Amino acid sequence: MPPVAVPEEPSKKKLRVAIIGQSTFAAEVFKLLQRDGHEVVGVFTVLDKGNREDPLATIAAQNGKPVFKYKTWRVKGQVIPGILEEYKSVNADINVLPFCTQFIPMEVILHPKYQSICYHPSILPRHRGASSINWTLIEGDTTCGLTIFWADDGLDTGPILLQRSFPCTIDDTVDSLYNKYLYPEGIKALAESVNMVANGVAPRIKQTEEGATYDPALFKPETHQIDWSKGGLALHNFIRGLDSSPGATTFIKPQNKDGVDKTSDANIEIKFFGSSLWEAEYETEGDKLFITGLNKPAVVHADGLLITANDGIKLNIQRLKVNGKMINAQNFYKGSENKVSLDLTAEEKQFIEKARDVWKAILRIEIENDTDFFASGAGSMDVVRLVEEIKDISELELQNEDIYMNTTFEDFYNAAILKQRGGSGSKEVIYDGVEMEINKMKIKFPTQLFINGEFVNSDGGKTTAIVNPTDESVICKVQAATVSDVDRAVKAAEKAFGEGEWSKISARERGQLLFKLADLMEQHKEELATIESIDSGAVYTLALKTHVGMSIETWRYFAGWCDKITGSTIPISHARPNKNLTLTKREPIGVCGLITPWNYPLMMLSWKMAACLAAGNTVVMKPAAVCPLTALKFAELCVLAGIPPGVVNIVTGSGALAGQALADHPRIRKLGFTGSTEIGQTIMKSCAASNLKKVSLELGGKSPLIIFEDCDLDKAVKNGMASVFFNKGENCIAAGRLFVEEKIHDEFVRRVVEETKKMSIGDPLNRGTAHGPQNHKAHMDKLISYVETGVKEGAKLVYGGKRLDRPGYFFQPTIFTDVTDNMVIAKEESFGPIMIISKFSSNNLDEVIRRANNTEYGLASGVFTKDVSRALRVAERVEAGTVFVNTYNKTDVAAPFGGFKQSGFGKDLGQEALNEYLKTKCITIEY
């Protein structure tokens, strides 16, 4: 029998309507009938659940309509006379039964002039009975629908007034069908049906028995039991058919990862939710779960519980209720997880109180943090109401499963806030790490790899000792990543990019998450600076201002860019007689790999990763092996900020192993690297050979600083020293060679030596220290060798050049003069506090520029002069990505940074940095 479809028309006649039913569904029908001008003369619904009134009763009372609440309409099969008389007193023209769970006597059904119409969530005559929508899924129907029929004394057998049909896919659930079709379309269909009755056009089409089914109600526990002998498709349909409530059920023996406990006679009840057919060709890895009736053990893995039916078809389960406790299926063998401890903003605290009011309105009780939604009487329709009302107060799109998985109020608001921030996890940040009392504070940081939102050990079990350069003591041992660890991290990043929450949130929401991350870094800045000091030797005050301070600025800058990345429209020739529209989209590249150096551990991470995430990518990052600790602390802050799992992954370890694995990985689409030119060349080859991945390189430097005689000499001395000694010389843009005009050369050298002698060298945590230890021993040894080379070549060592006689990697700031262009120290980067000074004559500007450019490096440069024209000529002709005029080291998060020639290509910072992590797609439309 084809569905009846009648055009919707407003009612010409107004009817007196009695509504018999319950739930939000019935309340919405009430609103539409009122809208259409019908008079609701009475509402008949169920008794209150504790202090909680049914939504239909609530809205009726708010509109001043009579409300009648009955436990039952009959006793021993006979209508209760008092109830019948109360019903008759409203003098209704028609009964409307939306979502009615009670048995209504025929004396009531037939009493009104137009009798009664009833809503049913199936295409009658198929799936008659109380569990029709469940059976639609259990039977694997490809079409679902609803029927409005004239009630009779049969079981959903009355004549049909109106029907609607909708597609039903293999992935649909009870909730998805209700939310997409049966709930919104059912409400409209009932209102339309009343109008059809009022207009005299409502048909009464007798139901055929052809294709009719009478399906049993799924109320009793035995109806929920899974029959594991059935095929995989039937199992999937059965589980999704019971997905909303009460869940498909089985019993297993107590067991752990090592196997079944054969000594126990106990049974564990498990209910299954969130089934999907498994289409992946590869075998998943995980822990075995033995289920009686299955030939092959199920597998607890990273994405759920994988079940192989006895016919070979596989299905994946997302959620389990184990002895009454709902958990994510992948956590079956994990201990009970602790609640997250969130740093709440003022707005988030306001949201909690608004959400508390919503819960109170639904449950009609005072709401404490441990109030359980379902234990307090809520049902499946209350879940729908909660989802909708939360959307109204916060524009937050929750799913029904968010409520099923977080049944107490505290769990609920934590999950909701994490989702607002873009996250989906609810775990405390748990890791193996180190706690220390140092620098007048307590610090704590992880020592494990950070993959898919969790701190985990390396597959290889190896560790790297992290040494404090101040006293050469071992701070801790950090996990060393293997190739398989890198692969695991890339897969997590790929999933987060393609399927995870990161791929679903808007650009503005992404920006809000990055702002939250920056706020957390601000809150932890003293701790981060302390970790940076003990790990890399950075002077604490400098770490606070630059290493950490500029990192925070970088995250805030790029957080602001998230929703400002736009394409363009381009006029092209039309394909006459049609027209064309061409537009471009700027899209994220995908999974990006980042490899950062040891001189500014946190800042280099931030310079690259902030732009990468702002563009919408996910990342696998390898910090320098010798100082990874702030990167790992940063990962902890990512969890607290609500960054979804898999978006940020940190793999610590050696460059030769973990770094090379990133360069070689075929699923990484972009690699950003800062380090030496030699390693950059190797990486570029690997990127080309592996999958031609995009690459940006910020490499070595030998930056020239030209100081003319007309400069402000005080300023030139101060900035000249900073250009070399800033951050112990471990600075990629450090001035590798100073060209000082001969007329002021000797005075410049004298002043520099004098001021250098005043520099306080010592513990970087001491607030008065200006110069801390070099980063690690191998680098200090290299600096000693570099100085020896300069002396052998004939350069004049006028100050320093030695390791200090004390524990730690302390190297005395060093000054060379009489350096000629052919010397090794004039051509090669020291990356340390070694000042190289050469004379020049201003009579030949072209010559000094030629000498400045006589290097394969081109990262930065500087010029000091009061002659603006001369400064601009130098700036124009010098071959460097950055030119400083009458200043040095003045970088800013809004200014692009990157080099020329063998100093690499690509930019960090500024709007241009986004280009490194975006691709342009061109779309042409003909119309």
Side-chain angles (χ1 to χ4, degrees), residues 318 332 538:
Q318 292 295 320
F332 180 81

Side-chain angles (χ1 to χ4, degrees), residues 181-192:
Y181 309 124
L182 303 184
Y183 184 89
E185 296 301 325
I187 293 166
K188 291 190 289 185
L190 264 173
E192 182 180 345

Side-chain angles (χ1 to χ4, degrees), residues 751-788:
R751 289 200 192 186
V752 165
V753 171
E754 182 181 314
E755 293 301 317
T756 302
K757 289 178 179 179
K758 298 177 184 178
M759 291 175 64
S760 57
I761 304 172
D763 184 353
L765 295 177
N766 189 316
R767 303 316 192 253
T769 296
H771 191 85
Q774 302 309 134
N775 187 278
H776 53 281
K777 185 177 185 300
H779 180 56
M780 188 190 64
D781 292 343
K782 176 187 171 185
L783 295 179
I784 294 172
S785 175
Y786 190 91
V787 170
E788 291 172 351

Side-chain angles (χ1 to χ4, degrees), residues 127-428:
H127 302 311
R128 293 168 178 167
S131 301
S132 56
I133 184 61
N134 306 85
W135 284 103
T136 297
L137 296 170
I138 292 171
E139 294 294 329
D141 293 359
T142 57
T143 303
C144 68
L146 61 91
T147 301
I148 312 299
F149 69 97
W150 300 93
D152 65 1
D153 58 354
L155 181 62
D156 307 325
T157 57
I160 291 171
L161 190 160
L162 180 150
Q163 288 186 320
R164 297 278 188 266
S165 62
F166 313 99
C168 180
T169 72
I170 196 67
D171 296 318
D172 272 315
T173 64
V174 172
D175 283 342
S176 70
L177 292 183
Y178 264 119
N179 291 336
K180 286 190 296 185
Y181 309 124
L182 303 184
Y183 184 89
E185 296 301 325
I187 293 166
K188 291 190 289 185
L190 264 173
E192 182 180 345
S193 296
V194 173
N195 291 341
M196 292 169 66
V197 173
N199 294 335
V201 294
R204 288 176 175 262
I205 302 172
K206 183 179 179 181
Q207 287 194 44
T208 177
E209 290 302 306
E210 183 179 350
T213 60
Y214 294 84
D215 300 311
L218 298 171
F219 298 148
K220 297 180 180 180
E222 57 267 25
T223 64
H224 313 155
Q225 300 298 310
I226 301 173
D227 180 358
W228 294 110
S229 67
K230 292 187 176 181
L233 183 59
L235 291 174
H236 167 67
N237 289 336
F238 186 73
I239 293 170
R240 69 190 180 113
L242 297 171
D243 195 77
S244 177
S245 178
T249 308
T250 196
F251 290 88
I252 67 168
K253 292 296 181 182
Q255 54 191 281
N256 54 35
K257 295 179 181 180
D258 297 325
V260 176
D261 181 2
K262 296 181 180 180
T263 64
S264 175
D265 294 328
N267 282 317
I268 298 174
E269 182 186 67
I270 300 183
K271 294 178 179 290
F272 296 77
F273 302 89
S275 175
S276 60
L277 292 176
W278 183 263
E279 298 179 353
E281 296 180 359
Y282 58 88
E283 289 289 332
T284 191
E285 297 179 355
D287 300 307
K288 294 179 180 179
L289 178 68
F290 294 91
I291 300 175
T292 303
L294 286 178
N295 297 336
K296 188 175 181 179
V299 179
V300 179
H301 64 114
D303 296 317
L305 176 68
L306 185 64
I307 292 171
T308 302
N310 292 342
D311 64 354
I313 293 177
K314 297 179 180 180
L315 50 149
N316 198 51
I317 307 299
Q318 292 295 320
R319 301 176 306 282
L320 302 173
K321 183 177 280 189
V322 183
N323 285 336
K325 173 68 175 177
M326 187 75 82
I327 62 171
N328 287 315
Q330 63 263 35
N331 294 329
F332 180 81
Y333 283 124
K334 294 183 180 179
S336 58
E337 297 177 335
N338 295 320
K339 295 184 180 71
V340 76
S341 177
L342 295 178
D343 293 313
L344 298 171
T345 65
E347 292 79 8
E348 288 168 345
K349 291 176 182 177
Q350 290 177 1
F351 165 79
I352 290 173
E353 294 313 308
K354 290 180 180 178
R356 194 186 302 273
D357 289 340
V358 171
W359 275 52
K360 184 175 180 179
I362 294 174
L363 299 178
R364 297 298 184 92
I365 59 175
E366 293 300 318
I367 306 301
E368 305 296 337
N369 279 0
D370 61 354
T371 299
D372 188 283
F373 193 66
F374 297 104
S376 300
S380 59
M381 295 307 296
D382 296 307
V383 173
V384 175
R385 178 181 173 185
L386 178 57
V387 168
E388 291 301 316
E389 294 200 26
I390 292 297
K391 186 194 302 182
D392 290 340
I393 67 171
S394 67
E395 298 184 357
L396 175 62
E397 294 275 359
L398 293 176
Q399 303 299 319
N400 290 4
E401 69 180 58
D402 294 322
I403 289 80
Y404 290 123
M405 289 297 298
N406 301 280
T407 61
T408 68
F409 182 65
E410 185 177 12
D411 288 344
F412 167 80
Y413 72 66
N414 272 325
I417 289 170
L418 283 170
K419 195 157 191 174
Q420 279 182 317
R421 296 178 181 179
S424 58
S426 59
K427 294 177 292 184
E428 183 188 6

Side-chain angles (χ1 to χ4, degrees), residues 154-155 218 221 238 265 349 387 423 427 445 547 609 613 702 740 755 779 790 814 836 846 883 890:
L155 181 62
L218 298 171
F238 186 73
D265 294 328
K349 291 176 182 177
V387 168
K427 294 177 292 184
F445 50 86
H547 291 234
M609 195 185 294
L613 297 188
K702 192 66 176 173
V740 181
E755 293 301 317
H779 180 56
T814 301
I836 308 297
D846 291 340
V883 182
K890 180 57 181 173

